[in-house]
Amino acid sequence: MNIELTEEHQKVVDEVREFATSVVAPAAYEYDTQRRLPMEIIAQMGKLGLFGLPFPVEYGGSGRDYLSLCLAVEQLARVDQSIAVTLEAGVGLGAMPVYRFGTDAQREEFLPMLARGEALAGFGLTEAEAGSDAGATLTNAHVEDGQWVIHGSKQFITNSGTPITRLVTITAVTGESTRADGSIKKELSTILVPTPIDGFTVEPAYDKVGWHTSDTHPLRLENVRVPEANLLGERGRGYANFLTILDEGRVAFAALCAGAAQGCVDEAVAYAKKRNVFGRSIGSNQYIAFKIARMEARAMSARMAYYAAASKLQAGKPFKKEASIAKLIGSEAAMDNARDAAQIWGGYGFLNENTVARHYRDSKILEIGEGTSEVQLMIIARELGFPA
């Protein structure tokens, strides 16, 4: 693995870092307080080509690669995790399923507007009783007069209720079969649901501890009807398809974690150098300097872990274990660094206007979203040959 970034990759880092510093950071506290997704900033991200980074030019993309997306997500996460996850989920969970498993017609219909950032898409997997255990999915769909008729509900769906949400991919039970032992096996498929559409209800947004700017809603589907051609991928392959999407998504999610961890380092370094107590900067205290050094080590470890996973992904090699390791290391680094940065900032680190305080609130979900830490440990152990 070459850990040196190419000139093109460094260009992505520099451009997105400048955008994050000059546009996102100054407005972050305002829209965090208002608990709204700033569509004006999302529009600027679209014009910069961020939503199309890993997609071919023929579909409105930038023709870059998956690492480019990860680098952009990392730079945004340094200053605002909500904006970073809007990009990460918009591409990884929203547009990527269409790109990976869609027909030519489905790609031509949806990918250009998603890649240009003119529209957003969500991935409707999680339910009240089905998250890590996707086999417990209750949302169901059957074919009637050439249409899929969908009934069910979904929870914690990112980018599902924005003014430009135009698509939600739904996992649903489309049939059942009986195993040799008499137990029932559910046939899980994925179906494209354009929005708005009759019977599709976006429930009020959640009152979350953090990620206040990120758009997250429960969804209700009652007699939603879409063309039979809206089946995404093969019927009955929904479970396998969403595992592929989650594996890829975890690499970009790990980049978000690394960005959050690094953002805490940046804030701690700046404050430790300017804050004077008893006639000298607090950074001259070895205890503070060592604490920040450990924070930097965590951030670099998180970055190297997602670089390794992205390298394997792009080389077409198995990367499931590496993705889970990157997500596990990154989320723990972000959470630990947020706690340490808040301690270094003292009382100021407890004020919501402070980037450190927002990282402290936001980082906990990194150990939960897109597969909990416990799920990552299970995957890593299984990849090492231990029982599932």
Side-chain angles (χ1 to χ4, degrees):
M1 183 187 69
N2 181 8
I3 62 173
E4 290 294 327
L5 296 181
T6 66
E7 184 177 333
E8 282 299 304
H9 285 140
Q10 190 60 51
K11 183 178 179 181
V12 172
V13 171
D14 294 341
E15 288 180 353
V16 181
R17 186 182 183 93
E18 170 59 25
F19 175 76
T21 301
S22 61
V23 177
V24 179
Y29 175 53
E30 177 183 355
Y31 53 71
D32 179 87
T33 302
Q34 296 173 354
R35 300 197 174 206
R36 70 174 182 89
L37 181 63
M39 300 312 301
E40 63 275 16
I41 288 180
I42 300 305
Q44 291 180 67
M45 290 164 60
K47 290 179 180 177
L48 284 173
L50 302 190
F51 289 94
L53 281 170
F55 301 121
V57 175
E58 64 187 282
Y59 292 120
S62 303
R64 301 288 181 87
D65 56 14
Y66 203 83
L67 178 59
S68 296
L69 169 66
C70 293
L71 295 171
V73 169
E74 180 187 354
Q75 291 307 311
L76 291 172
R78 286 175 46 254
V79 300
D80 193 306
Q81 292 186 39
S82 291
I83 295 298
V85 79
T86 300
L87 174 62
E88 184 272 331
V91 176
L93 299 179
M96 195 59 74
V98 180
Y99 178 63
R100 292 292 185 214
F101 308 114
T103 63
D104 289 340
Q106 289 169 343
R107 290 174 178 173
E108 290 170 4
E109 180 179 0
F110 295 110
L111 271 184
M113 62 179 176
L114 296 173
R116 291 193 295 263
E118 298 168 355
L120 287 172
F123 190 75
L125 166 66
T126 306
E127 299 181 6
E129 301 298 330
S132 301
D133 180 12
T137 297
L138 296 178
T139 296
N140 62 87
H142 66 275
V143 176
E144 182 179 295
D145 297 329
Q147 294 182 314
W148 287 106
V149 183
I150 309 170
H151 296 271
S153 61
K154 299 292 179 177
Q155 288 194 151
F156 308 128
I157 311 305
T158 304
N159 294 340
S160 58
T162 78
I164 59 172
T165 298
R166 296 293 177 266
L167 176 69
V168 177
T169 301
I170 296 293
T171 54
V173 177
T174 53
E176 293 182 345
S177 59
T178 304
R179 298 187 180 94
D181 62 3
S183 62
I184 300 298
K185 178 183 178 180
K186 294 180 178 179
E187 175 190 82
L188 202 64
S189 303
T190 45
I191 301 171
L192 300 174
V193 179
T195 63
I197 190 171
D198 290 344
F200 183 92
T201 302
V202 179
E203 302 283 6
Y206 294 102
D207 181 12
K208 297 173 293 187
V209 170
W211 280 9
H212 289 164
T213 298
S214 171
D215 178 86
T216 319
H217 298 264
L219 307 174
R220 188 172 74 251
L221 298 93
E222 298 176 315
N223 199 40
V224 172
R225 294 173 177 265
V226 300
E228 191 173 356
N230 280 28
L231 178 72
L232 181 64
E234 296 179 32
R235 179 168 177 167
R237 292 285 297 171
Y239 186 77
N241 290 350
F242 93 73
L243 286 179
T244 298
I245 292 302
L246 288 180
D247 284 342
E248 288 191 6
R250 281 175 187 142
V251 181
F253 199 87
L256 191 160
C257 296
Q262 188 63 56
C264 290
V265 175
D266 297 345
E267 294 295 325
V269 168
Y271 188 71
K273 288 180 177 179
K274 74 177 182 181
R275 172 62 169 164
N276 290 315
V277 177
F278 301 120
R280 62 176 185 169
S281 69
I282 62 172
S284 63
N285 183 321
Q286 193 176 68
Y287 175 78
I288 297 296
F290 279 11
K291 185 184 285 289
I292 297 175
R294 192 172 293 280
M295 292 169 63
E296 174 72 0
R298 292 187 195 117
M300 178 171 285
S301 296
R303 184 175 301 109
M304 293 301 100
Y306 93 71
Y307 277 14
S311 177
K312 281 204 163 186
L313 187 163
Q314 294 184 162
K317 298 178 180 179
F319 66 95
K320 181 185 288 289
K321 180 178 71 175
E322 286 76 11
S324 287
I325 290 174
K327 203 270 186 183
L328 179 69
I329 290 176
S331 59
E332 291 181 347
M335 192 71 225
D336 289 344
N337 280 11
R339 183 187 61 249
D340 286 349
Q343 190 71 21
I344 290 168
W345 273 80
Y348 292 108
F350 202 61
L351 302 180
N352 282 328
E353 64 191 59
N354 193 326
T355 303
V356 164
R358 294 194 296 275
H359 276 310
Y360 188 80
R361 287 189 283 105
D362 290 346
S363 292
K364 182 56 195 173
I365 191 61
L366 301 178
E367 297 180 311
I368 300 171
E370 296 203 28
T372 64
S373 295
E374 291 75 16
V375 166
Q376 305 318 310
L377 290 168
M378 179 186 70
I379 292 171
I380 296 166
R382 187 170 58 203
E383 290 293 304
L384 291 173
F386 293 102

